[in-house]
Amino acid sequence: MKIEKGGAPLVIDVAGINKHFGDKHVVKDLSLQVRRGEIFGFLGPNGSGKTTSIRMLCGLLTPDSGSGSCLGLDVLTQSSQIKRQVGYMTQKFSLWDDLTIGENLDFVARMFGMKKRRVVVDRALDELGLTGRRDQLAGTLSGGWKQRLALASCLLHEPQLLLLDEPTAGVDPKARRDFWEEIHRLSAAGITVLVSTHYMDEAERCHRLAYIAYGTLMASGTAAEVVAGQRLQTWEIAGADLQGLGQALRALPGADLVASFGATLHVCGRDGAALEASLTDFLSDRPLTMSRVAPSLEDAFIDLMQGSQDQFKE
Amino acid sequence: MKRFSGFSGFSFSRWLGIMLKEFIQLKRDRLTFGMIVGIPIIQLLLFGFAINSDPKQLPTAVVMADPGPFARAYVAAMQNSDYFRIVGSVDERQADDLLDRSEVQFVVTFAPGFHRDLVRGKSPVLLVEADATDPMATSGAIAVLNHLGAEVFAPDLPGLERPTAAPLELRVHRRYNPEGLTAYHIVPGLLGVILTLTLVLMTGLAMTRERERGTFENLLATPATPVEVMTGKIVPYILIGLIQVTLILAAARWIFDVPMHGSLLLLYAVVLLFICANLLLGITFSSIARNQLQAMQMTFFFFLPSMLLSGFMFPFRGMPQWAQMVGNALPLTHFLVLVRGIMLKGNGIEQLWDHSWPIMLFIAAVLAIGLKTFRKTLD
Ligand SMILES: Nc1ncnc2c1ncn2[C@@H]1O[C@H](COP(=O)(O)OP(=O)(O)O)[C@@H](O)[C@H]1O
Ligand SMILES: [Mg+2]
């Protein structure tokens, strides 16, 4: 495994990956480095190519071009070996609805050629707290339970790397919090996790992240690096009746984006001096306050999304 | 492209896992279970009665124990009637063999003394043996023979004495099916038709169902290989096929009174071969089709010619040349000859080879295509 300077070994290291569906260019020159043991967030709006990228990493789709390794194995030629060490949780629940919980786990354990199958399955059921419901059909489980079952099933063979595709979509907040605790526990145990999401709060729980839009990787690094990379200067506007102001603020010279942030508005721009001048002027006859704040990750993402729209909407 | 390459890395335990999973899912699928029992019953009811047809140019062998100008004239008249195609002159033993192997439809025997008796107006016997496993195929031709004697040996024919009665006595033996019962023909045929429809359809849906539900992605994410998946999924359906066959054979025996002259064991062996051909085809459709609808369409695209051109619906020999060529490529065509051979003619192994190897060839071709088209990725 290649070692990035000063860091842990790289579990995923791909470069120049492309994928077309028909004449649709879905993933463009993707390069991604994920270090061992980290939780890597993969962010981007719907249809930006997250699922497609993940499928290429574990050999379910063949890239049109590009190269790289996953767990030290070639993603183009060694996908069958990669599969043995990767736990892949699909975006849509993909266990068998018409098999029971126990049968599903048993089947997956068989497919991975587990030695002590019964022991492994019993332990997984026990940890899930589903021992009493092992004979229940998987299709009858609620969303949160399906998600836990799916995670348990892709952990059965003790993978080195977890690829989780929007694992918390449609799951209630409590289950989401529990899920993230579990992910951090796994990461602490040395398992590398790549997780795609479009929840902002989840992005902040990741060690590092990448933002992809329209198939193009727009930014990557730690949350702080991503925010810094946008070189935004942000002012927070507070006061009553902020609703109608967005349009006017957006039109100000120097304002690149306006986003509501709780009960306040964030106005961000790259040209700080110009923005500060026009804001001061704009607020002079209004009962509002402005204060300089650090840009949030959300500001950075909104900026990234706007940037990509400008770039691709001809 | 990651396509299948060799049988490397086959895991018996994984294969077993896939097979068990298929069994469990099948057990929970009421509709499919209904189909297994329902389709044979419905088809038996629908096709219990026959569709008529009038084939011509039926291959006919002649046993000429008493050659003479009148016999030759009669044979020529048979050929001119367009119902018979004389394939040659043989001895009695060869004639029997030709009938057993289904190579001829008729054997016409001119007994010793035919010429003498005819000349003296003594109405000699003309023996016609017909392969009546398909009674529809022979009825038209036999009706023609009934008139032929009076036409050929007209009373004013020089050299003939005035006959007292008919110039000759036509004696027809309906071999294998003396009463000309269409059930003898239809019921063994249904065996093949039902197996084709249900097995191709059910396995055709087996893989596309996984693809449509999204579970295929999970299966692909495991180390399972194409051979394990394809063959593992097939096994439960082999059992289903055998259950159907047993059902139909029981109906044949106790409802339709179809005789069973050959070996039951041999019949099941032939059935197994045929089941394999259909299952492999189904699973191949399944891996080519994008969704269940497509798999269904492919099944019917295959099923229709099987039904129409195999000799099930219409007598095979009554079909035009091109249709016979298509028919010969279909396993059902050969299976029908095999089953009727075993049940009605009591054929043994030695008579079955001619129609067994085409099915084996079909299996090999389909397996090759299936493994080649099995997608190991979601591309
Ligand atoms: N099998 C496929 N065939 C054709 N287009 C596809 C296929 N899978 C995904 N796409 C298209 O590729 C784009 C990216 O999809 P996806 O990777 O699922 O995005 P995300 O997971 O980020 O929502 C979408 O526009 C989607 O419609
Ligand atoms: Mg997705």
Side-chain angles (χ1 to χ4, degrees):
Chain A
M1 236 174 265
K2 208 167 82 186
I3 301 195
E4 212 184 36
K5 25 186 182 334
L10 290 177
V11 168
I12 297 175
D13 184 11
V14 295
I17 300 276
N18 280 284
K19 182 72 189 177
H20 298 255
F21 286 119
D23 50 10
K24 213 153 88 190
H25 200 167
V26 173
V27 173
K28 299 165 191 161
D29 274 331
L30 178 76
S31 297
L32 212 56
Q33 280 83 35
V34 178
R35 300 180 192 134
R36 168 173 301 161
E38 76 180 349
I39 300 177
F40 191 92
F42 200 29
L43 283 102
N46 275 335
S48 56
K50 300 185 294 294
T51 301
T52 307
S53 304
I54 292 175
R55 283 176 174 164
M56 286 192 284
L57 289 176
C58 60
L60 293 187
L61 285 174
T62 318
D64 298 335
S65 63
S67 63
S69 66
C70 186
L71 294 159
L73 297 159
D74 192 317
V75 286
L76 291 177
T77 57
Q78 295 180 295
S79 59
S80 59
Q81 281 115 297
I82 293 176
K83 283 177 188 175
R84 285 168 205 277
Q85 302 177 54
V86 169
Y88 171 44
M89 181 169 161
T90 54
Q91 180 170 353
K92 189 177 155 284
F93 180 69
S94 64
L95 288 172
W96 289 266
D97 281 346
D98 50 354
L99 294 186
T100 66
I101 295 163
E103 285 162 357
N104 265 301
L105 292 175
D106 188 67
F107 177 71
V108 173
R110 269 184 202 274
M111 289 305 103
F112 283 96
M114 306 290 301
K115 287 288 180 312
K116 297 188 190 115
R117 223 174 50 244
R118 191 149 311 155
V119 179
V120 169
V121 170
D122 284 349
R123 194 176 54 219
L125 283 169
D126 193 41
E127 282 168 7
L128 271 170
L130 282 175
T131 306
R133 291 157 78 183
R134 72 181 300 157
D135 294 330
Q136 185 181 335
L137 293 183
T140 63
L141 287 172
S142 71
W145 279 110
K146 277 185 178 169
Q147 171 233 41
R148 297 188 60 189
L149 176 63
L151 180 64
S153 96
C154 64
L155 284 172
L156 280 181
H157 61 290
E158 297 171 359
Q160 306 267 322
L161 169 66
L162 273 181
L163 301 174
L164 310 175
D165 195 1
E166 297 195 25
T168 55
V171 167
D172 67 66
K174 158 107 175 54
R176 258 176 64 190
R177 205 170 46 242
D178 294 347
F179 190 82
W180 274 92
E181 264 162 38
E182 171 76 10
I183 301 227
H184 276 274
R185 239 193 336 272
L186 292 166
S187 157
I191 297 178
T192 312
V193 181
L194 181 136
V195 52
S196 79
T197 177
H198 48 229
Y199 290 115
M200 217 50 69
D201 59 317
E202 294 187 347
E204 276 159 0
R205 291 170 185 256
C206 299
H207 298 130
R208 291 200 309 137
L209 38 92
Y211 188 90
I212 183 174
Y214 299 96
T216 306
L217 190 73
M218 309 290 293
S220 69
T222 62
E225 283 165 5
V226 170
V227 173
Q230 293 312 102
R231 284 180 278 105
L232 292 174
Q233 306 202 23
T234 304
W235 276 265
E236 189 177 78
I237 314 291
D241 294 328
L242 289 171
Q243 285 93 332
L245 288 180
Q247 201 65 27
L249 284 170
R250 213 161 279 144
L252 291 179
D256 289 332
L257 79 95
V258 177
S260 53
F261 202 82
T264 66
L265 286 177
H266 275 192
V267 184
C268 312
R270 286 192 175 72
D271 186 346
L275 180 56
E276 183 164 27
S278 52
L279 269 177
T280 314
D281 183 42
F282 181 78
L283 295 179
S284 58
D285 56 346
R286 288 186 171 80
L288 302 169
T289 59
M290 61 181 268
S291 57
R292 181 78 193 267
V293 295
S296 67
L297 189 56
E298 191 164 354
D299 295 332
F301 283 152
I302 294 170
D303 190 48
L304 279 167
M305 206 174 336
Q306 279 185 3
S308 64
Q309 272 163 5
D310 297 345
Q311 195 174 328
F312 295 106
K313 237 189 217 157
E314 87 303 9
Chain B
M1 288 283 113
K2 294 206 179 37
R3 295 278 193 218
F4 171 73
S5 53
F7 280 71
S8 55
F10 184 89
S11 147
F12 179 74
S13 141
R14 273 204 302 264
W15 178 81
L16 193 71
I18 290 167
M19 188 188 96
L20 289 177
K21 165 178 153 295
E22 202 67 20
F23 259 122
I24 297 172
Q25 290 183 296
L26 210 57
K27 195 181 71 190
R28 302 218 169 102
D29 184 357
R30 298 263 160 73
L31 190 69
T32 305
F33 232 76
M35 224 163 81
I36 295 163
V37 183
I39 287 187
I41 291 173
I42 291 170
Q43 296 234 4
L44 276 170
L45 292 177
L46 283 180
F47 292 103
F49 301 95
I51 300 112
N52 222 336
S53 162
D54 191 21
K56 307 212 164 144
Q57 291 285 326
L58 298 169
T60 304
V62 177
V63 178
M64 194 63 89
D66 184 11
F70 293 124
R72 277 201 298 278
Y74 192 83
V75 169
M78 281 174 71
Q79 199 138 14
N80 285 340
S81 77
D82 209 29
Y83 277 93
F84 303 91
R85 179 167 54 82
I86 308 297
V87 296
S89 199
V90 293
D91 66 31
E92 266 173 65
R93 224 175 31 80
Q94 286 169 320
D96 258 2
D97 192 47
L98 288 174
L99 274 176
D100 274 350
R101 290 175 184 276
S102 310
E103 280 177 26
V104 296
Q105 192 88 36
F106 293 102
V107 172
V108 178
T109 304
F110 294 89
F114 178 84
H115 186 79
R116 188 192 58 220
D117 289 351
L118 187 71
V119 170
R120 291 185 189 160
K122 276 178 144 179
S123 292
V125 169
L126 180 64
L127 177 65
V128 176
E129 290 164 287
D131 176 348
T133 51
D134 183 354
M136 279 179 294
T138 52
S139 57
I142 290 174
V144 164
L145 276 186
N146 279 325
H147 307 297
L148 217 55
E151 278 169 29
V152 178
F153 308 119
D156 52 349
L157 195 70
L160 276 188
E161 265 179 43
R162 237 196 126 59
T164 47
L168 51 75
E169 184 191 334
L170 192 66
R171 198 172 289 164
V172 178
H173 283 185
R174 288 190 175 79
R175 294 276 299 267
Y176 318 117
N177 183 5
E179 289 160 69
L181 298 177
T182 50
Y184 278 28
H185 172 70
I186 292 290
V187 176
L190 274 183
L191 196 64
V193 169
I194 290 167
L195 285 176
T196 302
L197 181 60
T198 51
L199 296 184
V200 176
L201 190 61
M202 278 192 291
T203 44
L205 298 180
M207 209 105 80
T208 42
R209 194 185 298 127
E210 302 246 9
R211 199 168 283 136
E212 250 170 58
R213 291 182 185 170
T215 53
F216 196 57
E217 190 171 2
N218 212 327
L219 198 58
L220 282 183
T222 73
T225 67
V227 190
E228 288 160 9
V229 175
M230 283 181 80
T231 56
K233 274 180 167 292
I234 272 183
V235 173
Y237 298 98
I238 293 184
L239 273 185
I240 288 177
L242 291 176
I243 293 173
Q244 289 186 325
V245 167
T246 309
L247 253 169
I248 298 163
L249 286 182
R253 178 83 190 74
W254 285 295
I255 300 177
F256 294 98
D257 287 321
V258 179
M260 176 69 204
H261 290 306
S263 143
L264 201 58
L265 200 68
L266 198 58
L267 182 64
Y268 270 92
V270 165
V271 160
L272 215 53
L273 187 71
F274 183 65
I275 287 177
C276 282
N278 283 306
L279 291 181
L280 282 170
L281 185 73
I283 212 97
T284 299
F285 282 170
S286 197
S287 66
I288 297 174
R290 289 268 159 196
N291 51 46
Q292 298 201 49
L293 182 66
Q294 274 187 9
M296 202 105 93
Q297 287 168 333
M298 288 181 184
T299 303
F300 281 97
F301 188 74
F302 174 76
F303 180 67
L304 273 184
S306 286
M307 183 110 151
L308 297 174
L309 303 182
S310 63
F312 171 73
M313 279 284 229
F314 312 113
F316 194 77
R317 290 191 174 116
M319 299 191 317
Q321 199 63 38
W322 64 266
Q324 291 197 11
M325 271 163 64
V326 176
N328 271 324
L330 301 167
L332 183 60
T333 306
H334 303 282
F335 180 69
L336 291 184
V337 179
L338 292 176
V339 171
R340 288 175 188 148
I342 294 171
M343 289 182 76
L344 305 180
K345 302 181 179 179
N347 280 176
I349 284 184
E350 62 282 2
Q351 285 130 325
L352 298 179
W353 174 245
D354 282 355
H355 289 279
S356 299
W357 70 259
I359 300 182
M360 293 174 192
L361 192 67
F362 183 87
I363 289 178
V366 169
L367 187 65
I369 296 171
L371 291 177
K372 200 142 184 67
T373 53
F374 186 96
R375 289 191 289 268
K376 245 172 119 179
T377 64
L378 294 166
D379 288 89

